[in-house]
């Protein structure tokens, strides 16, 4: 399901747009390249998709293929585990956002994520017990993770890493770097509604719709984007179940261990898709109170609160055009 809708106008460019989709990171990743030959575009897209798949394999905590993040999550508490440079860097960036968001976003949410199971092949469909939540939540505290250079140890077996709220953004940034390295100047890389654009579309800005969180396929409005910018949305419609008439969705409030309930969707606009991804999750948890934090960091936020009201704040990186009612 797409968080953002891609609204591509008629193709006015000399060369036709090249469209390709791949299933990566549990989502349909759509590549659109404009103003390049088909051969060049397809080679670039192949390199970008391979890189994004590599990143999924490095960071995922799901499936049976071993990786270093799963090894860390299974390590004996108190023993040091050495993390490769790339994982180390994303972990440090994640801990920065954890600190800056007052813990609303945290990479230490792994045991809670696995307990709720929204991303498992067969999600449970009913909430876990209060005891199980309290136990998993005990691992989320920052003090439970200790660093010694590039080595890290966890102090409790409830402390597990989950990069699910930031790795997709990182994959988008790396995928876009690959497109550029192959000489692509105009493109959208859209990973299930989280996207980065470069350049323009046949001499005009790309037009990006903001999805209505309660009406699939409808847009609340749109952005016009050109140059180099990322738009990332966290929504309560992405992965959820209804149990006894209540919606339980996949973004958890680390303070309670329960699904965050202040937002329907949270969109962050920033140059880096990595940062936009981490902060969209933080903003979703914080609700309107998170908007000033974005402003302070030169990012832009668009929030649909739990009542369905739209709020905007932050640096005006892009103009949002609300759809007429
Ligand atoms: P996103 O769609 O980017 O908001 O990421 C949601 C995913 O990140 C979830 O499926 C969990 O794996 C993980 N997650 C859930 N809650 C949080 C949180 N408060 N902080 C960081 N990661 C989270
Ligand atoms: Mg995110």
């Amino acid at each position: 399901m797409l968080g953002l809708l891609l609204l591509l106008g008629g193709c006015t460019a000399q060369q036709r747009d090249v469209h390709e989709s791949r299933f990566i990171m549990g989502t349909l990743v759509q590549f659109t390249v404009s103003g390049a030959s088909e051969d060049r575009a397809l080679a670039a897209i192949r390199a970008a998709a391979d890189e994004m798949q590599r990143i999924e394999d490095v960071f995922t905590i799901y499936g049976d293929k071993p990786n270093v993040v799963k090894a860390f999550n299974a390590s004996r508490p108190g023993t040091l585990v050495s993390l490769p440079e790339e994982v180390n860097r994303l972990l440090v960036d994640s801990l920065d956002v954890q600190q800056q968001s007052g813990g609303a976003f945290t990479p230490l949410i792994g045991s809670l994520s696995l307990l709720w199971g929204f991303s498992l092949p067969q999600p449970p469909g009913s909430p876990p017990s209060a005891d199980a939540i309290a136990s998993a939540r005990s691992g989320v505290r920052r003090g439970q993770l200790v660093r010694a250079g590039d080595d890290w140890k966890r102090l409790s077996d409830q402390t597990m890493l989950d990069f699910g709220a930031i790795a997709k953004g990182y994959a988008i940034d790396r995928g876009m770097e690959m497109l550029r390295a192959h000489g692509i100047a105009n493109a959208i890389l859209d990973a299930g509604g989280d996207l980065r654009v470069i350049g323009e579309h046949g001499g005009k800005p790309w037009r990006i719709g903001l999805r209505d969180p309660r009406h699939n396929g409808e847009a609340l409005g749109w952005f016009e984007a050109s140059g180099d910018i990322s738009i990332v949305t966290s929504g309560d419609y992405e992965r959820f179940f209804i149990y006894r008439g209540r919606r339980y969705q996949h973004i958890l409030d680390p303070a309670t261990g329960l699904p965050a309930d202040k937002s329907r969707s949270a969109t962050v606009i920033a140059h880096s898709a990595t940062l936009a991804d981490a902060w969209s999750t933080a903003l979703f948890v914080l609700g309107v109170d998170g908007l000033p934090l974005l402003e302070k960091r030169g990012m832009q936020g668009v929030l649909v609160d739990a009542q369905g009201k739209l709020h905007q704040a932050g640096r005006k990186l892009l103009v949002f055009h609300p759809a007429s009612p």
Side-chain angles (χ1 to χ4, degrees), residues 153-322:
K153 65 183 169 191
R154 57 186 196 143
L155 298 184
S156 131
D157 60 4
Q158 293 297 325
T159 299
M160 295 187 193
L161 301 175
D162 173 11
F163 291 96
I166 189 169
K168 201 201 275 180
Y170 175 61
I172 292 171
D173 284 340
R174 292 286 307 148
M176 197 51 108
E177 270 179 51
M178 287 294 166
L179 293 184
R180 276 190 210 273
H182 282 73
I184 302 302
N186 305 287
I188 297 191
L189 203 173
D190 178 353
D194 297 344
L195 57 86
R196 182 161 178 161
V197 312
I198 55 168
E200 50 182 28
H201 186 230
K204 295 198 187 128
W206 299 95
R207 211 165 115 105
I208 313 290
L210 178 67
R211 178 184 156 141
D212 181 332
R214 288 294 175 273
H215 298 99
N216 195 359
E218 288 179 32
L220 293 177
W222 72 90
F223 302 98
E224 284 184 354
S226 58
D228 181 4
I229 197 86
S230 300
I231 309 176
V232 177
T233 298
S234 290
D236 68 1
Y237 47 79
E238 291 175 318
R239 267 165 279 164
F240 67 94
F241 58 78
I242 307 279
Y243 179 74
R244 297 194 173 153
R246 245 197 85 183
R247 175 189 289 253
Y248 292 85
Q249 60 72 40
H250 72 299
I251 301 165
L252 304 170
D253 184 345
T256 61
L258 302 171
D261 59 5
K262 294 188 177 142
S263 313
R264 291 182 182 175
S265 81
T267 300
V268 172
I269 297 153
H271 285 291
S272 146
T274 309
L275 272 186
D277 193 4
W279 277 100
S280 70
T281 305
L283 179 62
F284 187 96
V285 171
L286 293 166
V288 283
D289 296 344
L291 288 169
L293 298 181
L294 297 180
E295 177 132 43
K296 227 165 73 182
R297 294 184 170 77
M299 295 180 277
Q300 181 176 353
V302 179
L303 184 88
V304 180
D305 69 18
Q307 284 69 45
K309 192 165 177 275
L310 191 107
H311 306 259
Q312 290 191 65
R315 180 153 160 226
K316 271 270 167 339
L317 295 166
L318 296 178
V319 178
F320 178 65
H321 305 274

